[in-house]
Amino acid sequence: MNKRCEDIPLLEREKYHEKYQKRIFVLSGTLTENLFGWSHDLYDELDHTIVIIHSAANVKHYGEYQDFYDINVKGTKRLLDFAKTLASPQGQ
């Protein structure tokens, strides 16, 4: 069953936070920048990342082709290249 965060009662949210706060991190970055705009230290610290959720996209109905291409194509490629550098989970 999928639940949006705002659909989970506050007390239940706190329980999830306590359980996963050391395992789940939400990071904001810029797909069009090297290292996503992060410091080298942060970028290197993410070596044991297991799951990446990529939800960034330029979805306007109009605009410059290059803007769409830079974010939607190049940005996704940059994220995939980052994922390829990550250490494999144990047993894989």
Side-chain angles (χ1 to χ4, degrees):
M1 172 175 28
N2 293 330
K3 290 184 177 182
R4 295 182 321 206
C5 184
E6 59 269 11
D7 293 336
I8 300 172
L10 185 58
L11 292 175
E12 196 174 336
R13 260 188 269 168
E14 290 174 4
K15 177 180 75 174
Y16 284 112
H17 178 73
E18 290 171 13
K19 185 174 182 178
Y20 297 111
Q21 67 181 339
K22 294 184 180 178
R23 296 176 49 199
I24 297 174
F25 302 94
V26 177
L27 298 174
S28 178
T30 305
L31 289 175
T32 56
E33 291 184 24
N34 290 332
L35 307 180
F36 309 109
W38 302 331
S39 70
H40 284 280
D41 290 339
L42 175 60
Y43 190 87
D44 293 341
E45 208 175 300
L46 299 173
D47 184 54
H48 294 356
T49 299
I50 305 235
V51 175
I52 297 171
I53 299 173
H54 167 31
S55 60
N58 186 344
V59 295
K60 297 186 294 187
H61 296 289
Y62 59 89
E64 297 293 323
Y65 174 82
Q66 195 63 47
D67 292 338
F68 289 93
Y69 187 82
D70 288 346
I71 293 171
N72 299 343
V73 177
K74 288 172 138 181
T76 298
K77 181 181 182 323
R78 184 174 278 124
L79 194 57
L80 290 170
D81 290 343
F82 167 67
K84 287 192 261 182
T85 68
L86 301 175
S88 296
Q90 285 185 335
Q92 301 223 355

